[in-house]
């Protein structure tokens, strides 16, 4: 124990006072201090931080505070310095009454982590109360025949101080008849008795006045006085006699007012009025007079007030019996208060940690509290438990201190808070209990990732949509709270690294709405998919992903495209039908396709116009053109058909084509070039003429370039390989050297070949009729002078030089292709 002394303090009643304070931290983990009562508010007590071994400033950072076991806190703590001060002037008598020692208990609560330190301050008594007689002028009636040595008890003086400062002694003023004898009670203050030293003589002195002084042991001592008036009575030679010197009684503390306590009896041998006895509670402290009463005639002692075992366990009652002549006798009634279990346990909550994080580990301290039962001997053992099943348990820490700790893991998503009913029950009988509700809220942590409502999403968008059109929405729920539940959406790049999806789709990061950034074309892309990521707003964010597939719906935005007959802007296509054809003869078939899909691509064929509507028909489903009847000699040779091809979209789109059908007796070549006679006189379109001229110029430039490259390449070969002849650079049957013309190796032909492009003269429209392979004829050293046909047969040499003559002769132009 460490003891330190301070200078004396001035007091209006005391010259000086030595203030003693001490600090003791023992095995019980209780810090003890001592102060003197009547210390002014703000008086220094001790430095708590130093006694707890904490650094200066730790009390403030950990939110230190004081919690009293009672309803009132008598001290205050300076958090920054750790000094403990008196909050208001202390009055030991008001705080503890006659109890000694007077100890004030409180707790020091620290947070982060939650800790509790028990402390107590003992309040030392100072001599600030003087002894006081309740009856300032007591009256004694003493017969003149009273024998010497008779004793007469006097009223006790009351002193609120305790110990040495309490009542210590009585003194009596100088007189010839009495001296004073001080006696002790088993429970209660000292009292004095007058002892008769000289016989009384009423005729000589009928009244004696005395002054009694009560003195305490303070320094300096204080005193109180009373004036005793002694009246000398005429002779009454018998005094009342009690049946017992001491009466004993036991009374339960919960007895009601008026309950019977005890009965005293006294007798007097005198006759007449001197025999009539009256009982009274004379010379008793005020507390006894307020608690008990006696029937003056029967001597029955009954309760006048309530008993409380926790306040007073025993009472020492003086009973006086007085006869009619004024003689009196005294006896005692010792009342023992029997304790009953009439006080339920008292629960005092010191601190509660709320809200509590849901990831708190097991055995985390949630609350600190103390339990006190005022019933000491009965029901003093306390059982503490929780009413409901919860993830918390009560843990006993020290004497009557308990803590509420976590016993299982917490999950705010399951239970957001608890109203914990704490039950404190004594052992009775009967069992009394107190219920206290502790509210603990659970704070959220980010332990739940966002969860999408669906495993995958399929959205549709119709082609030809407007840019930035809304096509759908994804949504994810997060079971957490606040920022931990705020979900942000984003698009993830594909694993393949193709970022083209970002050119099609945009997502609102706040609400997950998806927008098409560009106009969709079903013919270009039918569907695509991407991954959406949902991320919460927690400190350590959690996320989840979902696949979204976007299906493009077809719109009827493509007209049917006719593959046959060809629509090349030149003459319409001609088909030949023998005049001998029967009904149902298949003339040709119109072939068309539609870039749309589904119903939009279903095509139907219709005969829109015809030279003779009754001669030909078009199959609606497949476009086949057949004869409806047998062809007659009177039918015109030239039949023109206009075919309508229509899809089934809404609205329907269509395309028309024209077809010329020639009715002939056979399939000879002149019929192949038959034209509409009305067009023979049509002038050549200037645009066509310009195109022909441009084609000729380009062809010339191409031939010139190829020839130049060939000559340069041939010259380089001759220079580097002079030992070889020029014939070694050529091969039979189009096997030219691969490096004759450098094409980068990317051409579609594996070997260089030449072709002869011929046109039939006399047709008038210069259409190419066929392409035939042109055989270059370079002499080889081993050549025999014979030429061979394509099938390997030999031709005479002159056959290579002679060209066909006549109207069907061909004009041939040679060209080389890689």
């Amino acid at each position: 124990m460490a003891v330190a002394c301070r200078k004396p303090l001035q007091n209006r009643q005391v010259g000086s006072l030595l203030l003693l304070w001490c600090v003791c931290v023992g095995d019980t983990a209780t810090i003890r201090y001592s102060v003197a009562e009547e210390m002014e508010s703000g008086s220094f007590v001790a430095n708590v931080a130093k006694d707890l071994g904490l650094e200066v400033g730790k009390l403030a950072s950990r939110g230190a505070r004081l919690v009293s076991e009672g309803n009132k806190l008598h001290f205050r703590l300076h958090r920054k310095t750790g000094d403990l001060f008196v909050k208001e002037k202390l009055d030991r008598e008001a705080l503890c009454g006659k109890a000694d020692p007077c100890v004030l208990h409180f707790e020091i609560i620290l947070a982060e982590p939650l800790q509790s330190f028990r402390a107590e301050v003992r309040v030392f008594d100072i001599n600030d109360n003087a002894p006081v007689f309740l009856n300032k002028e007591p009256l004694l009636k003493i017969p003149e025949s009273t024998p010497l040595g008779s004793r007469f008890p006097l009223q006790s003086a009351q002193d609120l101080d305790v110990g040495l400062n309490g009542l210590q002694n009585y003194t009596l003023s100088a007189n010839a008849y009495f001296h004073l004898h001080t006696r002790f009670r088993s429970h209660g203050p000292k009292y004095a008795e007058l002892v008769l030293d000289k016989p009384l003589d009423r005729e000589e002195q009928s009244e004696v006045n005395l002054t009694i002084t009560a003195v305490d042991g303070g320094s300096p001592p204080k005193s109180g006085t009373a004036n005793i008036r002694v009246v000398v009575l005429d002779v009454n030679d018998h005094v009342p006699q009690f049946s017992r010197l001491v009466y004993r009684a036991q009374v339960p503390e919960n007895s009601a007012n008026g309950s019977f306590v005890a009965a005293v009896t006294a007798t007097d041998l005198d006759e007449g009025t001197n025999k009539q006895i009256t009982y009274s509670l004379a010379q008793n402290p005020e507390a006894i007079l307020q608690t008990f009463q006696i029937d003056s005639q029967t001597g029955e002692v009954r309760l006048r007030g309530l008993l409380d075992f926790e306040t007073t366990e025993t009472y020492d009652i003086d009973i006086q019996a007085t006869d009619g002549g004024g003689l009196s006798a005294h006896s005692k009634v010792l009342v023992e208060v029997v304790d009953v279990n009439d006080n339920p346990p008292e629960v005092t909550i010191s601190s509660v940690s709320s809200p509590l994080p849901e990831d708190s580990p097991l055995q985390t301290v949630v609350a600190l509290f103390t339990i006190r039962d005022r019933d000491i001997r009965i029901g003093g053992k306390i059982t503490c438990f929780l009413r409901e099943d919860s993830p918390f348990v009560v843990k006993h820490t020290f004497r009557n201190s308990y803590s509420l700790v976590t016993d299982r893991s917490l999950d705010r998503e399951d239970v957001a808070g608890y109203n914990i009913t704490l039950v404190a029950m004594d052992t009775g009988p009967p069992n009394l209990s107190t219920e206290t509700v502790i509210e603990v809220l659970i704070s959220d942590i980010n332990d739940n990732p966002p969860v999408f409502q669906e495993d995958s999403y399929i959205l549709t968008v119709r082609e030809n949509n407007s840019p930035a059109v809304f096509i759908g929405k994804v949504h994810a729920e997060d079971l957490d709270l606040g920022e931990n539940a705020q979900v942000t959406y984003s698009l993830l790049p594909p694993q393949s690294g193709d970022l083209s999806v970002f050119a099609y789709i945009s997502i609102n990061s706040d609400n997950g709405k998806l927008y098409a950034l560009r106009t969709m074309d079903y013919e270009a892309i039918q569907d695509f998919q991407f991954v959406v990521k949902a991320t919460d707003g927690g400190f350590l964010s959690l996320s989840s992903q979902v696949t979204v597939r976007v299906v493009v719906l077809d719109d009827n935005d493509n007209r049917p495209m006719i593959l046959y007959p060809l629509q090349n802007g030149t003459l319409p296509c001609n088909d030949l039908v023998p005049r001998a054809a029967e009904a149902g003869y298949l003339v040709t078939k119109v072939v068309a396709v539609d870039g749309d899909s589904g119903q939009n691509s279903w095509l139907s064929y219709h005969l829109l116009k015809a030279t003779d509507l009754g001669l030909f028909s078009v199959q609606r489903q497949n476009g086949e053109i057949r004869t409806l009847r047998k062809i007659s000699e009177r039918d015109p040779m030239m039949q023109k058909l206009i075919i309508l091809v229509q899809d089934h979209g809404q609205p329907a789109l269509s395309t028309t084509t024209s077809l010329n059908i020639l009715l002939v007796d056979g399939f000879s070549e002149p019929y192949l070039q038959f034209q509409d006679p009305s067009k023979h006189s049509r002038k050549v379109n200037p645009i066509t003429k310009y195109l022909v001229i441009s084609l000729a110029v380009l062809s010339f430039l191409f031939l010139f370039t190829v020839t130049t490259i060939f000559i340069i390449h041939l010259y380089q070969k001759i220079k580097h390989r002079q030992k070889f002849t020029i014939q070694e650079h050529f091969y039979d049957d189009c096997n030219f050297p691969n490096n004759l013309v450098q094409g980068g190796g990317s051409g579609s032909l594996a070997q260089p070949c030449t072709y002869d492009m011929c046109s039939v003269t006399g047709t008038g429209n210069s259409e190419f009729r066929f392409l035939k392979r042109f055989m270059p004829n370079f002499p080889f050293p081993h050549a025999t002078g014979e030429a061979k046909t394509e099938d390997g047969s030999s031709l005479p040499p002159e056959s290579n030089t002679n060209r066909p003559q006549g109207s069907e002769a061909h004009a041939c132009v040679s060209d080389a292709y890689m």
Side-chain angles (χ1 to χ4, degrees):
M1 179 179 295
V3 179
C5 297
R6 295 186 177 272
K7 293 180 179 181
L9 299 176
Q10 292 299 114
N11 190 280
R12 59 188 177 88
Q13 295 178 341
V14 184
S16 63
L17 173 66
L18 180 64
L19 172 64
L20 174 67
W21 63 274
C22 62
V23 179
C24 176
V25 180
D27 295 338
T28 60
T30 300
I31 307 172
R32 294 185 172 90
Y33 302 103
S34 296
V35 298
E37 68 168 327
E38 300 298 330
M39 289 183 66
E40 295 295 332
S41 175
S43 298
F44 176 80
V45 178
N47 187 279
V48 175
K50 180 178 179 182
D51 298 334
L52 293 179
L54 299 176
E55 298 178 359
V56 177
K58 280 291 185 178
L59 295 180
S61 62
R62 296 183 62 182
R65 58 192 180 90
L66 303 181
V67 178
S68 174
E69 288 188 354
N71 297 327
K72 192 173 183 180
L73 190 63
H74 302 284
F75 303 93
R76 63 180 179 88
L77 177 64
H78 194 285
R79 294 181 180 177
K80 293 184 178 180
T81 62
D83 292 336
L84 185 68
F85 298 98
V86 177
K87 187 176 182 181
E88 60 183 13
K89 182 182 290 188
L90 301 177
D91 186 357
R92 194 207 64 81
E93 289 75 28
L95 294 175
C96 302
K98 298 293 289 184
D100 190 33
C102 178
V103 180
L104 302 179
H105 300 274
F106 62 91
E107 288 186 79
I108 304 172
I109 305 298
L110 301 179
E112 299 179 2
L114 191 61
Q115 285 183 289
S116 172
F117 298 93
R118 297 183 60 84
E120 60 182 37
V121 177
R122 179 176 180 180
V123 182
F124 283 98
D125 182 51
I126 65 172
N127 192 24
D128 57 344
N129 293 280
V132 176
F133 288 96
L134 298 180
N135 189 357
K136 296 292 185 179
E137 295 182 354
L139 175 63
L140 292 180
K141 295 180 179 181
I142 302 176
E144 60 180 339
S145 59
T146 301
L148 298 178
S150 297
R151 297 173 180 270
F152 304 93
L154 300 177
Q155 175 190 7
S156 299
Q158 304 295 319
D159 194 332
L160 297 180
D161 295 325
V162 295
L164 293 177
N165 295 326
L167 179 63
Q168 297 297 321
N169 196 13
Y170 293 95
T171 61
L172 188 66
S173 59
N175 66 92
Y177 295 96
F178 300 94
H179 76 269
L180 199 61
H181 178 71
T182 302
R183 302 192 65 177
F184 297 89
R185 285 191 174 94
S186 59
H187 298 281
K190 298 177 182 179
Y191 67 97
E193 293 180 336
L194 288 178
V195 180
L196 184 61
D197 294 333
K198 179 182 178 181
L200 298 174
D201 187 353
R202 180 179 177 278
E203 289 72 22
E204 182 181 348
Q205 187 175 352
S206 62
E207 185 174 313
V208 179
N209 293 314
L210 305 173
T211 300
I212 185 172
T213 302
V215 182
D216 60 22
S219 180
K222 293 187 177 183
S223 61
T225 60
N227 296 320
I228 303 174
R229 181 178 170 222
V230 178
V231 176
V232 181
L233 300 177
D234 197 8
V235 174
N236 182 15
D237 54 353
H238 291 92
V239 297
Q241 297 291 326
F242 282 95
S243 59
R244 299 179 185 176
L245 293 177
V246 178
Y247 295 85
R248 299 181 183 274
Q250 289 184 339
V251 183
E253 64 173 327
N254 59 349
S255 299
N257 289 345
S259 297
F260 175 79
V261 176
V264 297
T265 57
T267 59
D268 194 313
L269 298 179
D270 292 326
E271 296 293 336
T273 58
N274 292 332
K275 190 177 182 179
Q276 296 177 358
I277 298 175
T278 302
Y279 302 94
S280 64
L281 300 179
Q283 314 302 330
N284 285 285
E286 184 68 20
I288 293 179
L289 297 178
Q290 293 179 356
T291 306
F292 299 94
Q293 60 183 354
I294 190 170
D295 190 313
S296 60
Q297 301 300 321
T298 62
E300 291 184 354
V301 180
R302 295 183 178 273
L303 287 179
R304 184 179 183 182
L306 297 179
L307 300 178
D308 189 356
F309 176 83
E310 289 71 32
T311 302
T312 305
E313 298 182 13
T314 59
Y315 291 91
D316 190 347
I317 307 174
D318 286 329
I319 306 296
Q320 177 176 296
T322 305
D323 61 16
L327 296 179
S328 63
H330 295 267
S331 181
K332 293 181 179 294
V333 176
L334 296 179
V335 179
E336 180 181 355
V337 180
V338 179
D339 187 23
V340 296
N341 193 30
D342 58 344
N343 292 285
E346 298 175 359
V347 178
T348 303
I349 304 297
S350 302
S351 181
V352 178
S353 293
S354 179
L356 187 68
E358 61 177 324
D359 63 342
S360 298
L362 299 182
Q363 300 302 311
T364 298
V365 178
V366 180
L368 297 175
F369 58 93
T370 58
I371 302 178
R372 184 181 68 171
D373 195 334
R374 298 179 62 189
D375 296 318
I376 301 175
R377 299 178 183 177
I378 298 179
K381 186 176 181 180
I382 299 173
T383 302
C384 184
F385 58 91
L386 301 182
R387 176 74 70 187
E388 307 88 358
D389 181 25
S390 64
F392 305 96
V393 294
V394 176
K395 185 177 180 181
H396 185 261
T397 56
F398 169 75
R399 204 166 64 185
N400 61 339
S401 298
Y402 299 83
S403 61
L404 183 67
V405 299
T406 56
D407 185 52
R408 299 195 302 267
S409 58
L410 305 175
D411 190 353
R412 190 207 62 80
E413 288 71 33
D414 290 339
V415 182
Y418 296 88
N419 286 325
I420 306 170
T421 303
L422 181 68
V423 180
M425 180 180 294
D426 59 23
T427 55
N431 298 107
L432 299 179
S433 63
T434 300
E435 293 188 0
T436 304
V437 177
I438 301 176
E439 182 180 8
V440 178
L441 301 178
I442 307 302
S443 61
D444 182 54
I445 65 167
N446 192 26
D447 59 346
N448 290 280
V451 178
F452 285 95
Q453 293 179 341
E454 300 181 18
D455 296 334
S456 62
Y457 291 83
I458 298 179
L459 307 178
T460 59
V461 58
R462 187 165 296 276
E463 69 171 330
N464 301 320
N465 59 286
S466 300
V469 67
F470 172 74
I471 63 173
K473 179 181 180 181
V474 297
H475 183 69
E477 292 285 348
D478 196 313
L479 298 178
D480 293 321
L481 193 65
E483 292 184 356
N484 296 332
Q486 293 180 358
V487 180
T488 303
Y489 303 90
S490 61
L491 298 179
L492 289 182
Q495 295 181 353
S496 61
D498 183 13
L499 302 179
S500 60
V501 66
F502 296 112
Y504 288 92
I505 292 297
S506 174
I507 189 170
N508 189 315
S509 61
D510 295 329
N511 52 30
K513 290 185 177 181
L514 293 166
Y515 300 89
L517 294 179
R518 60 195 301 181
T519 301
M520 301 294 178
D521 186 0
Y522 176 83
E523 288 70 37
I525 181 171
Q526 286 76 40
D527 64 350
F528 59 92
Q529 68 180 23
F530 52 90
V531 177
V532 175
K533 180 180 179 181
T535 306
D536 60 27
F539 175 70
L540 297 176
S541 60
L542 302 177
S543 63
S544 60
Q545 302 176 6
V546 70
T547 301
V548 180
R549 180 169 175 256
V550 178
V551 177
V552 181
L553 301 180
D554 183 43
D555 201 1
N556 193 25
D557 58 345
N558 290 280
R559 294 180 180 276
M561 183 177 67
I562 298 176
L563 302 179
Y564 183 84
L566 296 176
Q567 304 295 304
N568 54 6
T570 61
L571 294 176
C573 185
N574 300 326
D575 283 280
L576 303 180
V577 176
R579 287 185 176 273
E582 298 291 333
Y585 176 81
L586 177 62
V587 178
T588 186
K589 182 177 181 180
V590 178
V591 180
V593 295
D594 194 313
D596 296 320
S597 65
Q599 184 175 345
N600 296 331
S601 64
W602 297 351
L603 302 179
S604 61
Y605 303 84
H606 307 274
L607 182 59
L608 192 61
K609 288 183 180 182
T611 304
D612 186 354
L613 293 176
L615 183 57
F616 298 98
S617 66
V618 178
Q619 293 294 323
R620 186 181 183 90
Q621 287 77 20
N622 54 24
E624 292 181 351
I625 300 177
R626 294 181 181 272
T627 57
L628 290 176
R629 59 178 174 83
K630 186 176 181 180
I631 301 174
S632 66
E633 294 294 335
R634 290 176 295 181
D635 291 327
M637 182 181 64
M638 179 68 178
Q639 297 286 331
K640 183 176 181 181
L641 305 180
I642 297 178
I643 309 301
L644 174 70
V645 182
Q646 183 176 355
D647 59 24
H648 285 70
Q650 293 295 331
L653 301 178
S654 62
T655 305
T656 60
T657 184
S658 61
L659 178 66
N660 291 333
I661 299 177
L662 301 180
L663 304 180
V664 297
D665 293 330
F667 294 95
S668 60
E669 186 175 356
Y671 293 105
L672 294 176
Q673 302 301 324
F674 181 83
Q675 293 184 0
D676 191 351
S678 62
K679 296 183 180 180
H680 281 288
S681 59
R682 184 179 301 173
K683 295 182 180 181
V684 178
N685 193 336
I687 298 178
T688 304
K689 180 168 58 178
Y690 296 150
L691 291 175
V692 172
I693 295 173
S694 300
L695 181 62
V697 173
L698 292 174
S699 300
F700 173 77
L701 294 175
F702 175 74
L703 289 175
F704 177 77
T705 303
V706 172
T707 303
T708 303
I709 295 174
F710 177 75
I711 292 172
I712 295 174
H713 184 71
L714 184 61
Y715 173 76
Q716 291 176 348
K717 289 291 184 180
I718 293 173
K719 183 177 179 180
H720 291 86
R721 302 178 63 182
Q722 295 180 358
K723 64 176 65 177
F724 298 100
T725 61
I726 190 171
Q727 289 82 358
E728 294 179 10
H729 295 282
F730 302 95
Y731 297 89
D732 190 18
D733 194 15
C734 300
N735 292 323
F736 288 123
N738 291 336
N739 58 357
L740 184 61
V741 177
Q742 300 298 325
S746 60
S748 61
L749 296 177
Q751 299 180 5
C753 298
T754 61
Y755 292 85
D756 183 19
M757 185 166 59
C758 302
S759 63
V760 180
T761 59
T763 60
N765 58 3
S766 300
E767 287 186 333
F768 295 121
R769 293 300 300 162
F770 60 88
L771 293 173
K772 72 177 181 177
R773 195 162 183 175
F774 176 73
M775 304 297 295
N777 188 11
F778 295 99
F780 283 81
H782 60 275
T784 59
E786 293 182 347
K788 294 185 179 181
T789 63
E790 293 181 1
D791 57 358
S793 61
S794 299
L795 293 176
E798 60 274 13
S799 63
N800 294 325
T801 59
N802 296 330
R803 294 294 180 182
Q805 303 294 328
S807 61
E808 295 183 2
H810 295 79
C812 298
V813 180
S814 297
D815 202 351
Y817 296 86
M818 295 298 295

